[in-house]
Amino acid sequence: MTREVSGDMTKSNLFSKIKDFIHSDAFIFLLPAIILIIVFYLIPIVVSVYMSFTPLKNWNIARYIHEFVGFENYWRFFYMVTHDPTVRPIFITTVVFILVTLAINVLGGLGLAIATFFMGEREASSTQLLWLLPRMTPIAVYSMIWYYFFHGSAIGTLNSILMSLGIIHKPIDWGQSIIPWGPWMIIIFVNGLVGVSYGMIVFTSAISNIPKELVIAARVDGASNWSITKNILIPLLKWHIVYVTTWQMLSLLTTYDHIFLLVEWGLVNRYYGTTWALYIYNMAFTAAEKDLGLAAAAGVILVIVGALLGLLALKILGFEKMVKEPRGDI
Amino acid sequence: MVVVRLMNVTKVFRTGVVGVKDINLTVNHKEFMALLGPSGSGKSTTLYLIAGIYRPSSGKIFFDDRDVTNLPPKDRNIGLVFQNWALYPHMRVYDNIAFPLRIKKLPENEIRKKVLETAKMLRIEKLLNRYPWQLSGGQQQRVAIARALVKEPDVLLLDEPLSNLDAQLRISVRAELKRLQKKLGITTIYVTHDQAEALAMADRIAVINNGRIIQIGTPEQVYTKPATVFVGGFLGNPPMNFIEGEIVEEKGKLYIVIAGQKIFAPAHYEPIIRRGGWRKVVVGFRPEDTMILPECRDRNECVKGRVYAVEPMGREYIVVADLGGELVKAIVPRTLVLTDDQEICLCPSLEKIVLFDPKTEKSLEVLAAEKE
Ligand SMILES: Nc1ncnc2c1ncn2[C@@H]1O[C@H](COP(=O)(O)OP(=O)(O)OP(=O)(O)O)[C@@H](O)[C@H]1O
Ligand SMILES: [Mg+2]
């Protein structure tokens, strides 16, 4: 009896809480964000999940939309990953691409931020501008530059440099012939260069918020640049490193724009130059037979993997510890 | 033995701002020197020049006979304490204090010994396992001093270390800091904008304004014989009173006319006034050297005025008096009963009056000494 009553009360409590929230100022401020999340995030996910349980093909929605195949798309996907020799490379490539590019992005951004911190003001700002260029250049133009740089014929910049130096005698088709290292190197290089600036900006602004007295104090005590970096800057940037790593990892997991162009233009090998996100895109939009159900299933799994990796990253890198325990009781 | 000497040191920043100009300063072995001045006067700049964080644009800095002008901070063996204490937030107190020794690569057991010793001296040995954010302001300040002292520096430099503490704590810490400095016998330069702090702690005070040192002397000298109107007005609470006066001579005797009333010129100024032929002067006198009487018996030592306001300060009253349109202050015992607008008689102690040149704002003694 008592239990029922209390259960009732919590239910109506929750209900009135929601009602209160809807009538509060906070709700008005959050409304635009809530609408955006619903329109651009929740609806697409719901649609994808739905699609992943249908045999939808070639955008023939009218015909397939009411057919359900259960988890068949998911089983097919797992089977392909484990058995299809053309799909497996894509997953190895995705893992290698994310790990190496992530390391380049985070360490490069950190290194640049710290290096520019110890530079004079003028050198620092021109260095930073230089590293922002890849980000500021339109994707097509930027990809074009590297297309010509790594081009497999003698007109490729890299080839002509190496040939004029006498290091090689015949042009090398970097993206197609040295499998898998050639295509990997190219997609990692091209994306790594773009991603570095993000970490650089975040870390630079974080460093500029460190009281300069901390660094001066260490200098007076005789600390070298390296020991200031190791003992003061990096520990104080811990939170930002976690943040940039997580953010960059998730965006690498879902990025495909540069890679799409490089594959499309034939610069890199189709299998060892394609990542999971691009694979989904191709399956849904460019393949001869557009297997949308399968693409949706692969996409849903990608979202789940992304969410898990995000949580894992925050956990491993100690998100909880970063939030300081309150001083004494509050 | 370390004597710190700055010779004609000038610092111009890259922005073109002049931090300090032509600083000449000698801080003797074991001396506690206060660098006193208002905000933006160049105190921190001077300190950072001594520390080697800034390089002088011109001039030289010596530690004893060693020219350190171009030495980096680490080769000067100094301890530095900042206004915000600059404790490393991610290190425990122990590691904060140990940091300078770890940089020197001392063996860990020696580090432990020194850290414990220093912590004990500053009575923070119970806090060694805490993080800075778990400490009160006063405790953080002790940790900062411990970190500066642990490497046994030749020179201790403190940049307004007490200004983040509340008034009560500041007064108790300053006595303690002064004792500690005397006990350790380290040459110390202490930057502050708080004149009471400088007067209470320092062996000598260097008053700095607009990047220039204006006066160097013992607290007594700087307080009683300010070299300029600025120094007189910066030291003391309430500060020195200033009022324009004119010198007249009657029957071979010198008088100063203030607010239309004659008082004797102070005896020790007579030769200076005669030699310099001074006419217009600024008369400076301190509130505590000023007596207030209910009425004047004409003795040419006092001037008539009127009560403008009375500020009870607990121990004594501050009387703000209107002297022919100028407001001056006097400190009087609580026993004196005064009402607003009451006529009173104001008697500055003649031998403590300081006279200044209205143009250069320098005291007549200083100008006379400069001429010789
Ligand atoms: N790094 C710098 N670059 C350019 N100008 C500076 C720099 N540091 C100080 N200044 C300028 O030099 C002058 C003296 O500054 P300083 O920091 O020495 O003043 P301060 O006496 O310590 O003042 P406060 O009591 O406010 O700390 C100021 O005008 C200041 O703006
Ligand atoms: Mg300062």
Side-chain angles (χ1 to χ4, degrees), chain B residues 304-361:
Chain B
K304 281 202 199 95
R306 171 185 298 286
V307 175
Y308 182 80
V310 180
E311 300 169 354
M313 299 300 287
R315 193 163 27 129
E316 70 251 325
Y317 288 173
I318 294 175
V319 177
V320 186
D322 183 338
L323 216 61
E326 301 271 351
L327 294 185
V328 296
K329 291 185 176 180
I331 294 176
V332 300
R334 282 191 304 185
T335 45
L336 197 67
V337 182
L338 296 167
T339 52
D340 285 3
D341 292 323
Q342 178 186 342
E343 289 247 349
I344 45 162
C345 187
L346 212 77
C347 311
S349 159
L350 288 186
E351 67 272 22
K352 291 188 176 160
I353 280 182
V354 186
L355 297 180
F356 301 90
D357 168 20
K359 260 197 232 92
T360 59
E361 300 206 329

Side-chain angles (χ1 to χ4, degrees), chain A residues 121 211-224 227 231-232 235-236 324-327, chain B residues 14 48 53 73-74 78 80 82 84 86-91 99-100 103 133-136 147 151:
Chain A
E121 257 166 72
K212 65 177 192 313
E213 285 85 2
L214 290 186
V215 177
I216 297 177
R219 262 233 201 291
V220 167
D221 290 339
S224 60
S227 117
N231 295 308
I232 292 163
L236 292 178
K324 268 189 209 163
E325 353 168 351
R327 177 177 154 184
Chain B
R14 255 190 305 178
Y48 286 3
I53 295 158
K74 69 179 169 69
I78 46 167
L80 186 53
F82 294 91
N84 63 4
L87 299 178
Y88 307 122
H90 57 290
M91 294 184 198
F99 188 78
I103 293 291
W133 49 271
Q134 295 170 315
L135 302 178
S136 73
R147 188 178 65 184
K151 55 180 178 175

Side-chain angles (χ1 to χ4, degrees), chain A:
Chain A
M1 180 74 178
T2 24
R3 270 172 80 191
E4 261 177 42
V5 169
S6 72
D8 253 19
M9 278 189 39
T10 39
K11 208 184 261 173
S12 67
N13 256 345
L14 182 70
F15 210 70
S16 69
K17 261 186 192 154
I18 291 174
K19 245 164 92 185
D20 282 354
F21 177 66
I22 288 175
H23 288 121
S24 68
D25 291 345
F27 181 70
I28 296 170
F29 283 113
L30 287 174
L31 195 62
I34 291 174
I35 291 173
L36 283 176
I37 289 176
I38 290 173
V39 171
F40 292 108
Y41 195 76
L42 280 184
I43 293 178
I45 284 194
V46 170
V47 170
S48 299
V49 170
Y50 183 89
M51 268 163 57
S52 71
F53 291 109
T54 68
L56 185 61
K57 279 192 178 40
N58 296 326
W59 294 99
N60 199 340
I61 293 170
R63 173 160 171 222
Y64 294 107
I65 200 65
H66 296 298
E67 260 179 62
F68 283 95
V69 293
F71 280 95
E72 195 193 300
N73 286 323
Y74 290 89
W75 298 134
R76 271 171 61 215
F77 179 68
F78 283 122
Y79 187 82
M80 283 166 72
V81 173
T82 46
H83 289 82
D84 187 336
T86 63
V87 174
R88 219 155 24 150
I90 288 168
F91 282 86
I92 299 171
T93 301
T94 305
V95 170
V96 172
F97 170 73
I98 289 176
L99 289 181
V100 181
T101 317
L102 189 62
I104 290 174
N105 283 176
V106 176
L107 297 180
L110 190 62
L112 275 173
I114 288 171
T116 49
F117 171 72
F118 288 117
M119 282 180 195
E121 257 166 72
R122 200 168 305 159
E123 299 92 315
S125 55
S126 43
T127 309
Q128 298 209 335
L129 187 69
L130 198 68
W131 284 91
L132 273 172
L133 279 177
R135 172 89 56 187
M136 299 189 305
T137 318
I139 292 169
V141 176
Y142 175 74
S143 302
M144 185 88 79
I145 294 170
W146 297 113
Y147 174 75
Y148 283 115
F149 186 84
F150 289 112
H151 198 276
S153 73
I155 58 154
T157 318
L158 184 58
N159 276 331
S160 61
I161 290 173
L162 292 180
M163 272 154 62
S164 68
L165 289 178
I167 296 172
I168 55 173
H169 301 289
K170 267 198 313 217
I172 297 175
D173 195 347
W174 302 99
Q176 297 286 5
S177 65
I178 313 171
I179 303 289
W181 306 108
W184 283 355
M185 176 191 77
I186 293 173
I187 59 172
I188 286 168
F189 182 86
V190 170
N191 279 279
L193 221 52
V194 180
V196 162
S197 60
Y198 181 73
M200 182 183 75
I201 297 284
V202 172
F203 295 134
T204 300
S205 104
I207 290 179
S208 71
N209 279 329
I210 294 176
K212 65 177 192 313
E213 285 85 2
L214 290 186
V215 177
I216 297 177
R219 262 233 201 291
V220 167
D221 290 339
S224 60
N225 284 354
W226 168 240
S227 117
I228 288 172
T229 302
K230 188 178 57 146
N231 295 308
I232 292 163
L233 298 183
I234 290 185
L236 292 178
L237 291 178
K238 200 173 114 190
W239 196 95
H240 301 88
I241 295 174
V242 173
Y243 166 71
V244 169
T245 306
T246 311
W247 175 269
Q248 237 15 15
M249 180 176 67
L250 296 181
S251 71
L252 286 173
L253 199 60
T254 52
T255 188
Y256 60 84
D257 34 19
H258 296 104
I259 306 177
F260 169 74
L261 293 176
L262 297 180
V263 171
E264 225 25 45
W265 295 338
L267 183 71
V268 294
N269 182 280
R270 180 162 289 275
Y271 304 109
Y272 286 95
T274 296
T275 58
W276 191 348
L278 178 58
Y279 173 64
I280 294 169
Y281 175 85
N282 282 335
M283 207 168 2
F285 296 103
T286 64
E289 200 203 50
K290 299 176 184 61
D291 197 338
L292 290 161
L294 188 66
V300 169
I301 293 173
L302 183 65
V303 169
I304 292 170
V305 168
L308 289 179
L309 281 177
L311 288 176
L312 189 73
L314 292 181
K315 192 117 201 143
I316 290 177
L317 294 162
F319 185 73
E320 275 137 299
K321 259 189 277 162
M322 283 169 352
V323 185
K324 268 189 209 163
E325 353 168 351
R327 177 177 154 184
D329 298 334
I330 289 183

Side-chain angles (χ1 to χ4, degrees), chain B residues 13 15 17-19 38-45 54 83 160 193:
Chain B
F13 290 106
T15 51
V17 177
V18 179
S39 186
S41 56
K43 306 182 296 291
S44 299
T45 306
Y54 294 156
Q83 176 172 351
E160 312 204 24
H193 64 260

